């Protein structure tokens, strides 16, 4: 991130009622405008965490992030550039019912409108561009999606400094910090399942996320580097299971195994191969790639891939 720019994040929040698509707009009190929910990144926060937090703070609706729908850039009165990242974010019926929103000094009202009305209501051209990006997903029939998240384990003690078995090699102090830091951005994507290599460094990377979500990680040798080195890891099997399940999931594994995981996702979804798969698999410790797939038709191919790196 540039130190001179102001970063923010938000979302196109949507729901379907009686087969009609609605998006959520906010009416801001101070500016007397109509815009999409968004806000500035707090210190120590990632963009994904910011998007979920700001949507909730401005609308009272808890969401999980879907497909990224672009970013907007514009100049502030201070002449600094503001860069806002947006994701698609579904508002479930339960989340809408649970919203405790009341008009306040920042947000005068929230309004559910059709896409056609949203185009007329929004105050800024940059918001219209984001809405159009979102509507492209709708036109392509990939509104309902789910993520498969490929996570490289956090920084571990080096092999040269460890006398025990490789599978028992622990995280370093930095690795434990990374594991705690990555829990928030992973949670922003609404994960419901955690799958990990049996190696301690992979399982411990998921431990903070498991604690905050209450989800018990499932260990599988199919994500193990030891099994992969011996040609015994059936990556295709676990990817096939995850694609069929259509459930938001994290797969915690090792650097050498990651390219095969990405390749198998592409094969399982009928996606054309390309260098983008190698890029998404080239992860530093505690980094992850989110693979967005169609929930209604996973075989239609990968919708989008986004990679997140740990904060310094």
């Amino acid at each position: 991130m540039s130190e001179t720019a102001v970063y923010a994040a938000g979302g196109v929040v949507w729901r379907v009622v009686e087969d009609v698509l609605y998006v959520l707009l906010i009416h801001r009190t101070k500016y007397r405008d109509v815009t999409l929910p968004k806000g500035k990144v707090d210190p120590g926060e990632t963009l994904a965490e910011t998007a979920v937090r700001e949507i909730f703070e401005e609308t009272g609706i808890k969401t999980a992030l879907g497909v990224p729908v672009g970013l907007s850039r514009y100049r502030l009165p201070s002449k600094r550039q503001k860069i806002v990242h947006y994701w698609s974010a579904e508002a479930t019926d339960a989340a809408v019912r649970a919203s405790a929103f009341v008009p306040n000094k920042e947000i005068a009202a929230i309004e559910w409108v059709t896409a056609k009305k949203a185009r007329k209501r929004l105050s800024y051209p940059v918001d219209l561009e984001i809405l159009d990006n979102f509507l492209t997903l709708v036109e392509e029939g990939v509104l309902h999606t789910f993520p498969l998240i490929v996570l490289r384990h956090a920084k571990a003690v080096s092999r040269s400094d460890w006398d025990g078995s490789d599978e028992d090699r622990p995280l370093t102090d930095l690795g434990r910090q990374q594991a705690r830091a990555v829990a928030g951005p992973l949670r922003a994507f609404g994960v419901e399942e955690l799958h990990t290599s049996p190696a301690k460094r992979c399982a411990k990377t998921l431990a903070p996320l498991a604690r905050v979500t209450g989800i018990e990680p499932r260990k599988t040798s199919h994500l193990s580097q030891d099994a992969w080195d011996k040609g015994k890891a059936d990556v295709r099997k676990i990817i096939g299971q995850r694609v069929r399940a259509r459930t938001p999931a994290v797969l915690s594994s090792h650097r050498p195994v990651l390219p095969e995981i990405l390749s198998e996702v592409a094969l399982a979804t009928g996606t054309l191969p390309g260098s983008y798969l190698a890029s998404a698999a080239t992860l530093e410790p505690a980094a992850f790639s989110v693979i967005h797939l169609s929930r209604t038709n996973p075989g239609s191919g990968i919708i989008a891939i986004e990679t997140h790196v740990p904060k310094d």
Side-chain angles (χ1 to χ4, degrees):
M1 289 187 182
S2 168
E3 294 182 359
T4 59
V6 175
Y7 286 88
V12 179
V13 182
W14 62 272
R15 63 191 297 210
V16 176
V17 180
E18 296 181 350
D19 296 325
V20 178
L21 174 67
Y22 293 87
V23 296
L24 187 60
L25 307 181
I26 62 170
H27 296 247
R28 296 194 296 182
T29 306
K30 178 180 178 181
Y31 300 101
R32 295 182 178 274
D33 59 7
V34 180
T35 185
L36 301 170
K38 65 180 182 299
K40 290 189 292 185
V41 175
D42 280 348
E45 196 174 50
T46 65
L47 289 162
E49 291 173 289
T50 299
V52 171
R53 176 183 56 77
E54 285 290 342
I55 290 170
F56 177 68
E57 289 181 357
E58 294 191 340
T59 70
I61 298 174
K62 292 183 178 181
T63 59
L65 301 182
V67 179
V69 290
L71 57 86
S72 62
R73 302 172 186 264
Y74 52 92
R75 291 288 174 183
L76 297 169
S78 64
K79 305 302 181 183
R80 295 178 70 186
Q81 185 181 49
K82 187 169 185 178
I83 303 174
V84 189
H85 290 250
Y86 289 92
W87 282 265
S88 164
E90 181 181 6
T92 64
D93 290 341
V96 172
R97 289 194 298 269
S99 173
F101 172 82
V102 292
N104 54 72
K105 63 180 181 180
E106 292 186 4
I107 309 299
I110 60 176
E111 180 183 21
W112 288 103
V113 298
T114 62
K116 184 177 180 179
K117 288 184 178 179
R119 290 194 57 81
K120 297 178 180 179
R121 295 269 210 283
L122 287 167
S123 300
Y124 305 107
V126 289
D127 285 350
L128 287 173
E129 292 176 8
I130 297 300
L131 178 63
D132 286 343
N133 292 342
F134 168 76
L135 293 176
T136 298
L137 296 175
V138 179
E139 292 167 2
E140 293 176 350
V142 290
L143 177 62
H144 297 272
T145 61
F146 71 98
L148 290 184
I149 303 175
V150 181
L151 169 69
R152 182 181 174 186
H153 66 74
K155 183 68 174 178
V157 172
S158 67
R159 293 189 182 190
S160 60
D161 294 332
W162 179 248
D163 293 330
S165 70
D166 184 65
E167 191 167 272
D168 290 334
R169 197 149 45 93
L171 298 180
T172 63
D173 289 342
L174 173 60
R176 288 189 287 273
Q177 293 174 12
Q178 291 174 331
R180 291 191 292 271
V182 80
L186 286 171
R187 193 180 187 187
F189 292 93
V191 295
E192 297 176 14
E193 292 183 359
L194 306 180
H195 300 267
T196 180
S197 159
K200 180 176 291 185
R201 55 193 182 277
C202 290
K204 288 298 184 181
T205 300
L206 282 183
L209 178 61
R211 284 195 293 272
V212 297
T213 60
I215 302 171
E216 184 69 25
R218 305 176 188 178
K219 295 181 180 180
T220 171
S221 62
H222 298 315
L223 297 175
S224 164
Q225 183 173 345
D226 285 348
W228 185 83
D229 286 340
K230 297 173 183 176
K232 296 181 179 180
D234 192 346
V235 176
R236 179 165 298 179
K237 178 178 180 180
I238 189 169
I239 294 303
Q241 291 171 340
R242 303 282 50 81
V243 172
R244 289 194 299 272
R246 310 181 194 202
T247 302
V250 179
L251 307 177
S252 179
S253 190
H254 310 260
R255 179 184 57 79
V257 188
L258 301 181
E260 186 168 348
I261 293 175
L262 269 292
S263 177
E264 290 297 339
V265 174
L267 285 171
T269 57
T271 305
L272 291 173
S275 60
Y276 67 96
L277 293 174
S279 297
T282 306
L283 300 175
E284 59 188 88
F288 63 91
S289 288
V290 184
I291 309 167
H292 296 276
L293 303 174
S294 169
R295 189 183 294 272
T296 52
N297 186 16
S300 62
I302 294 172
I303 308 306
I305 300 180
E306 53 181 304
T307 297
H308 296 253
V309 298
K311 293 184 70 67
D312 296 332

PDB file of all heavy atoms in Angstrom, residues 151-155 174-175 177-179 181-182 186 205 283-288 308-311:
ATOM      1  N   LEU A 151      -4.399 -21.791   1.732  1.00  0.00           N
ATOM      2  CA  LEU A 151      -3.561 -21.088   2.706  1.00  0.00           C
ATOM      3  C   LEU A 151      -2.218 -21.788   2.866  1.00  0.00           C
ATOM      4  O   LEU A 151      -2.170 -23.003   3.100  1.00  0.00           O
ATOM      5  CB  LEU A 151      -4.289 -21.052   4.056  1.00  0.00           C
ATOM      6  CG  LEU A 151      -3.506 -20.593   5.294  1.00  0.00           C
ATOM      7  CD1 LEU A 151      -3.172 -19.098   5.203  1.00  0.00           C
ATOM      8  CD2 LEU A 151      -4.304 -20.884   6.559  1.00  0.00           C
ATOM      9  N   ARG A 152      -1.145 -21.036   2.734  1.00  0.00           N
ATOM     10  CA  ARG A 152       0.172 -21.586   3.074  1.00  0.00           C
ATOM     11  C   ARG A 152       0.400 -21.382   4.569  1.00  0.00           C
ATOM     12  O   ARG A 152       0.082 -20.319   5.121  1.00  0.00           O
ATOM     13  CB  ARG A 152       1.276 -20.900   2.286  1.00  0.00           C
ATOM     14  CG  ARG A 152       2.659 -21.487   2.584  1.00  0.00           C
ATOM     15  CD  ARG A 152       3.769 -20.795   1.816  1.00  0.00           C
ATOM     16  NE  ARG A 152       5.075 -21.289   2.239  1.00  0.00           N
ATOM     17  CZ  ARG A 152       6.233 -20.805   1.833  1.00  0.00           C
ATOM     18  NH1 ARG A 152       6.247 -19.792   0.964  1.00  0.00           N
ATOM     19  NH2 ARG A 152       7.377 -21.298   2.278  1.00  0.00           N
ATOM     20  N   HIS A 153       0.929 -22.384   5.228  1.00  0.00           N
ATOM     21  CA  HIS A 153       1.142 -22.278   6.675  1.00  0.00           C
ATOM     22  C   HIS A 153       2.063 -21.107   7.012  1.00  0.00           C
ATOM     23  O   HIS A 153       2.873 -20.651   6.191  1.00  0.00           O
ATOM     24  CB  HIS A 153       1.709 -23.584   7.236  1.00  0.00           C
ATOM     25  CG  HIS A 153       3.094 -23.920   6.741  1.00  0.00           C
ATOM     26  ND1 HIS A 153       4.230 -23.273   7.170  1.00  0.00           N
ATOM     27  CD2 HIS A 153       3.515 -24.840   5.847  1.00  0.00           C
ATOM     28  CE1 HIS A 153       5.287 -23.775   6.584  1.00  0.00           C
ATOM     29  NE2 HIS A 153       4.884 -24.729   5.762  1.00  0.00           N
ATOM     30  N   ALA A 154       1.953 -20.617   8.231  1.00  0.00           N
ATOM     31  CA  ALA A 154       2.764 -19.503   8.701  1.00  0.00           C
ATOM     32  C   ALA A 154       4.223 -19.927   8.877  1.00  0.00           C
ATOM     33  O   ALA A 154       4.573 -21.104   8.745  1.00  0.00           O
ATOM     34  CB  ALA A 154       2.194 -18.967  10.014  1.00  0.00           C
ATOM     35  N   LYS A 155       5.081 -18.964   9.185  1.00  0.00           N
ATOM     36  CA  LYS A 155       6.515 -19.198   9.294  1.00  0.00           C
ATOM     37  C   LYS A 155       6.819 -20.262  10.345  1.00  0.00           C
ATOM     38  O   LYS A 155       6.410 -20.147  11.502  1.00  0.00           O
ATOM     39  CB  LYS A 155       7.222 -17.898   9.661  1.00  0.00           C
ATOM     40  CG  LYS A 155       8.739 -17.994   9.737  1.00  0.00           C
ATOM     41  CD  LYS A 155       9.346 -18.226   8.373  1.00  0.00           C
ATOM     42  CE  LYS A 155      10.878 -18.182   8.440  1.00  0.00           C
ATOM     43  NZ  LYS A 155      11.475 -18.457   7.118  1.00  0.00           N
ATOM     44  N   LEU A 174       7.247 -15.432  15.050  1.00  0.00           N
ATOM     45  CA  LEU A 174       6.638 -14.682  13.944  1.00  0.00           C
ATOM     46  C   LEU A 174       5.487 -15.473  13.349  1.00  0.00           C
ATOM     47  O   LEU A 174       4.428 -14.908  13.026  1.00  0.00           O
ATOM     48  CB  LEU A 174       7.683 -14.396  12.866  1.00  0.00           C
ATOM     49  CG  LEU A 174       7.155 -13.769  11.568  1.00  0.00           C
ATOM     50  CD1 LEU A 174       6.485 -12.431  11.847  1.00  0.00           C
ATOM     51  CD2 LEU A 174       8.288 -13.613  10.544  1.00  0.00           C
ATOM     52  N   GLY A 175       5.673 -16.778  13.201  1.00  0.00           N
ATOM     53  CA  GLY A 175       4.608 -17.615  12.647  1.00  0.00           C
ATOM     54  C   GLY A 175       3.351 -17.584  13.488  1.00  0.00           C
ATOM     55  O   GLY A 175       2.235 -17.530  12.951  1.00  0.00           O
ATOM     56  N   GLN A 177       2.419 -15.119  15.373  1.00  0.00           N
ATOM     57  CA  GLN A 177       1.817 -13.797  15.138  1.00  0.00           C
ATOM     58  C   GLN A 177       1.054 -13.790  13.816  1.00  0.00           C
ATOM     59  O   GLN A 177      -0.048 -13.242  13.726  1.00  0.00           O
ATOM     60  CB  GLN A 177       2.908 -12.723  15.123  1.00  0.00           C
ATOM     61  CG  GLN A 177       3.597 -12.486  16.457  1.00  0.00           C
ATOM     62  CD  GLN A 177       4.761 -11.509  16.332  1.00  0.00           C
ATOM     63  OE1 GLN A 177       4.930 -10.829  15.316  1.00  0.00           O
ATOM     64  NE2 GLN A 177       5.579 -11.444  17.361  1.00  0.00           N
ATOM     65  N   GLN A 178       1.655 -14.388  12.797  1.00  0.00           N
ATOM     66  CA  GLN A 178       0.991 -14.448  11.492  1.00  0.00           C
ATOM     67  C   GLN A 178      -0.305 -15.237  11.566  1.00  0.00           C
ATOM     68  O   GLN A 178      -1.312 -14.862  10.952  1.00  0.00           O
ATOM     69  CB  GLN A 178       1.929 -15.086  10.465  1.00  0.00           C
ATOM     70  CG  GLN A 178       3.132 -14.237  10.103  1.00  0.00           C
ATOM     71  CD  GLN A 178       4.097 -14.972   9.190  1.00  0.00           C
ATOM     72  OE1 GLN A 178       4.197 -16.200   9.227  1.00  0.00           O
ATOM     73  NE2 GLN A 178       4.828 -14.233   8.361  1.00  0.00           N
ATOM     74  N   ALA A 179      -0.299 -16.335  12.315  1.00  0.00           N
ATOM     75  CA  ALA A 179      -1.504 -17.155  12.447  1.00  0.00           C
ATOM     76  C   ALA A 179      -2.627 -16.365  13.105  1.00  0.00           C
ATOM     77  O   ALA A 179      -3.794 -16.462  12.685  1.00  0.00           O
ATOM     78  CB  ALA A 179      -1.194 -18.415  13.254  1.00  0.00           C
ATOM     79  N   ALA A 181      -2.897 -13.085  13.029  1.00  0.00           N
ATOM     80  CA  ALA A 181      -3.274 -11.985  12.136  1.00  0.00           C
ATOM     81  C   ALA A 181      -4.125 -12.447  10.969  1.00  0.00           C
ATOM     82  O   ALA A 181      -4.981 -11.699  10.486  1.00  0.00           O
ATOM     83  CB  ALA A 181      -2.014 -11.285  11.624  1.00  0.00           C
ATOM     84  N   VAL A 182      -3.907 -13.673  10.496  1.00  0.00           N
ATOM     85  CA  VAL A 182      -4.623 -14.136   9.303  1.00  0.00           C
ATOM     86  C   VAL A 182      -6.045 -14.593   9.623  1.00  0.00           C
ATOM     87  O   VAL A 182      -6.883 -14.718   8.718  1.00  0.00           O
ATOM     88  CB  VAL A 182      -3.826 -15.263   8.608  1.00  0.00           C
ATOM     89  CG1 VAL A 182      -4.024 -16.610   9.297  1.00  0.00           C
ATOM     90  CG2 VAL A 182      -4.187 -15.354   7.133  1.00  0.00           C
ATOM     91  N   LEU A 186      -9.379 -14.211   6.929  1.00  0.00           N
ATOM     92  CA  LEU A 186      -9.991 -15.471   6.505  1.00  0.00           C
ATOM     93  C   LEU A 186     -11.463 -15.520   6.906  1.00  0.00           C
ATOM     94  O   LEU A 186     -12.332 -15.944   6.137  1.00  0.00           O
ATOM     95  CB  LEU A 186      -9.247 -16.655   7.123  1.00  0.00           C
ATOM     96  CG  LEU A 186      -7.871 -16.992   6.546  1.00  0.00           C
ATOM     97  CD1 LEU A 186      -7.178 -18.044   7.402  1.00  0.00           C
ATOM     98  CD2 LEU A 186      -7.983 -17.468   5.103  1.00  0.00           C
ATOM     99  N   THR A 205      -1.454 -22.966  12.238  1.00  0.00           N
ATOM    100  CA  THR A 205      -1.798 -21.747  11.500  1.00  0.00           C
ATOM    101  C   THR A 205      -3.301 -21.512  11.518  1.00  0.00           C
ATOM    102  O   THR A 205      -3.771 -20.367  11.520  1.00  0.00           O
ATOM    103  CB  THR A 205      -1.285 -21.848  10.046  1.00  0.00           C
ATOM    104  OG1 THR A 205       0.137 -22.015  10.063  1.00  0.00           O
ATOM    105  CG2 THR A 205      -1.632 -20.594   9.255  1.00  0.00           C
ATOM    106  N   LEU A 283       2.776 -18.430  -2.827  1.00  0.00           N
ATOM    107  CA  LEU A 283       2.394 -17.726  -1.612  1.00  0.00           C
ATOM    108  C   LEU A 283       3.531 -17.721  -0.603  1.00  0.00           C
ATOM    109  O   LEU A 283       4.208 -18.728  -0.408  1.00  0.00           O
ATOM    110  CB  LEU A 283       1.163 -18.392  -0.975  1.00  0.00           C
ATOM    111  CG  LEU A 283      -0.110 -18.454  -1.830  1.00  0.00           C
ATOM    112  CD1 LEU A 283      -1.187 -19.254  -1.102  1.00  0.00           C
ATOM    113  CD2 LEU A 283      -0.609 -17.055  -2.155  1.00  0.00           C
ATOM    114  N   GLU A 284       3.719 -16.594   0.037  1.00  0.00           N
ATOM    115  CA  GLU A 284       4.651 -16.537   1.150  1.00  0.00           C
ATOM    116  C   GLU A 284       3.969 -17.083   2.402  1.00  0.00           C
ATOM    117  O   GLU A 284       2.752 -17.310   2.384  1.00  0.00           O
ATOM    118  CB  GLU A 284       5.118 -15.097   1.374  1.00  0.00           C
ATOM    119  CG  GLU A 284       4.009 -14.106   1.669  1.00  0.00           C
ATOM    120  CD  GLU A 284       4.523 -12.678   1.692  1.00  0.00           C
ATOM    121  OE1 GLU A 284       4.568 -12.036   0.625  1.00  0.00           O
ATOM    122  OE2 GLU A 284       4.892 -12.221   2.795  1.00  0.00           O
ATOM    123  N   PRO A 285       4.732 -17.360   3.469  1.00  0.00           N
ATOM    124  CA  PRO A 285       4.103 -17.911   4.671  1.00  0.00           C
ATOM    125  C   PRO A 285       2.927 -17.059   5.163  1.00  0.00           C
ATOM    126  O   PRO A 285       3.006 -15.832   5.217  1.00  0.00           O
ATOM    127  CB  PRO A 285       5.248 -17.909   5.689  1.00  0.00           C
ATOM    128  CG  PRO A 285       6.471 -18.086   4.845  1.00  0.00           C
ATOM    129  CD  PRO A 285       6.202 -17.289   3.596  1.00  0.00           C
ATOM    130  N   ALA A 286       1.817 -17.730   5.476  1.00  0.00           N
ATOM    131  CA  ALA A 286       0.585 -17.120   5.998  1.00  0.00           C
ATOM    132  C   ALA A 286      -0.202 -16.335   4.954  1.00  0.00           C
ATOM    133  O   ALA A 286      -1.200 -15.697   5.281  1.00  0.00           O
ATOM    134  CB  ALA A 286       0.850 -16.246   7.218  1.00  0.00           C
ATOM    135  N   ALA A 287       0.198 -16.393   3.696  1.00  0.00           N
ATOM    136  CA  ALA A 287      -0.590 -15.772   2.633  1.00  0.00           C
ATOM    137  C   ALA A 287      -1.627 -16.778   2.137  1.00  0.00           C
ATOM    138  O   ALA A 287      -1.489 -17.985   2.329  1.00  0.00           O
ATOM    139  CB  ALA A 287       0.309 -15.331   1.486  1.00  0.00           C
ATOM    140  N   PHE A 288      -2.680 -16.258   1.499  1.00  0.00           N
ATOM    141  CA  PHE A 288      -3.718 -17.153   0.996  1.00  0.00           C
ATOM    142  C   PHE A 288      -4.340 -16.607  -0.276  1.00  0.00           C
ATOM    143  O   PHE A 288      -4.360 -15.395  -0.515  1.00  0.00           O
ATOM    144  CB  PHE A 288      -4.798 -17.414   2.049  1.00  0.00           C
ATOM    145  CG  PHE A 288      -5.581 -16.198   2.495  1.00  0.00           C
ATOM    146  CD1 PHE A 288      -6.765 -15.836   1.855  1.00  0.00           C
ATOM    147  CD2 PHE A 288      -5.161 -15.429   3.565  1.00  0.00           C
ATOM    148  CE1 PHE A 288      -7.505 -14.734   2.264  1.00  0.00           C
ATOM    149  CE2 PHE A 288      -5.889 -14.318   3.991  1.00  0.00           C
ATOM    150  CZ  PHE A 288      -7.065 -13.966   3.343  1.00  0.00           C
ATOM    151  N   HIS A 308      -4.122 -12.679  -0.865  1.00  0.00           N
ATOM    152  CA  HIS A 308      -3.909 -11.790   0.285  1.00  0.00           C
ATOM    153  C   HIS A 308      -2.616 -12.171   0.975  1.00  0.00           C
ATOM    154  O   HIS A 308      -2.366 -13.344   1.255  1.00  0.00           O
ATOM    155  CB  HIS A 308      -5.083 -11.930   1.277  1.00  0.00           C
ATOM    156  CG  HIS A 308      -6.395 -11.494   0.711  1.00  0.00           C
ATOM    157  ND1 HIS A 308      -7.023 -10.320   1.078  1.00  0.00           N
ATOM    158  CD2 HIS A 308      -7.206 -12.075  -0.230  1.00  0.00           C
ATOM    159  CE1 HIS A 308      -8.165 -10.210   0.411  1.00  0.00           C
ATOM    160  NE2 HIS A 308      -8.285 -11.260  -0.394  1.00  0.00           N
ATOM    161  N   VAL A 309      -1.796 -11.177   1.245  1.00  0.00           N
ATOM    162  CA  VAL A 309      -0.500 -11.408   1.911  1.00  0.00           C
ATOM    163  C   VAL A 309      -0.590 -10.905   3.347  1.00  0.00           C
ATOM    164  O   VAL A 309      -1.374  -9.992   3.638  1.00  0.00           O
ATOM    165  CB  VAL A 309       0.641 -10.703   1.174  1.00  0.00           C
ATOM    166  CG1 VAL A 309       0.780 -11.250  -0.233  1.00  0.00           C
ATOM    167  CG2 VAL A 309       0.425  -9.202   1.122  1.00  0.00           C
ATOM    168  N   PRO A 310       0.179 -11.496   4.273  1.00  0.00           N
ATOM    169  CA  PRO A 310       0.119 -11.057   5.666  1.00  0.00           C
ATOM    170  C   PRO A 310       0.616  -9.622   5.815  1.00  0.00           C
ATOM    171  O   PRO A 310       1.507  -9.169   5.078  1.00  0.00           O
ATOM    172  CB  PRO A 310       1.038 -12.037   6.391  1.00  0.00           C
ATOM    173  CG  PRO A 310       1.948 -12.562   5.335  1.00  0.00           C
ATOM    174  CD  PRO A 310       1.153 -12.581   4.074  1.00  0.00           C
ATOM    175  N   LYS A 311       0.039  -8.910   6.764  1.00  0.00           N
ATOM    176  CA  LYS A 311       0.469  -7.541   7.020  1.00  0.00           C
ATOM    177  C   LYS A 311       1.809  -7.564   7.730  1.00  0.00           C
ATOM    178  O   LYS A 311       2.132  -8.468   8.485  1.00  0.00           O
ATOM    179  CB  LYS A 311      -0.564  -6.813   7.888  1.00  0.00           C
ATOM    180  CG  LYS A 311      -1.889  -6.575   7.187  1.00  0.00           C
ATOM    181  CD  LYS A 311      -2.837  -5.773   8.026  1.00  0.00           C
ATOM    182  CE  LYS A 311      -2.389  -4.322   8.172  1.00  0.00           C
ATOM    183  NZ  LYS A 311      -2.434  -3.579   6.911  1.00  0.00           N
TER     184      LYS A 311
END
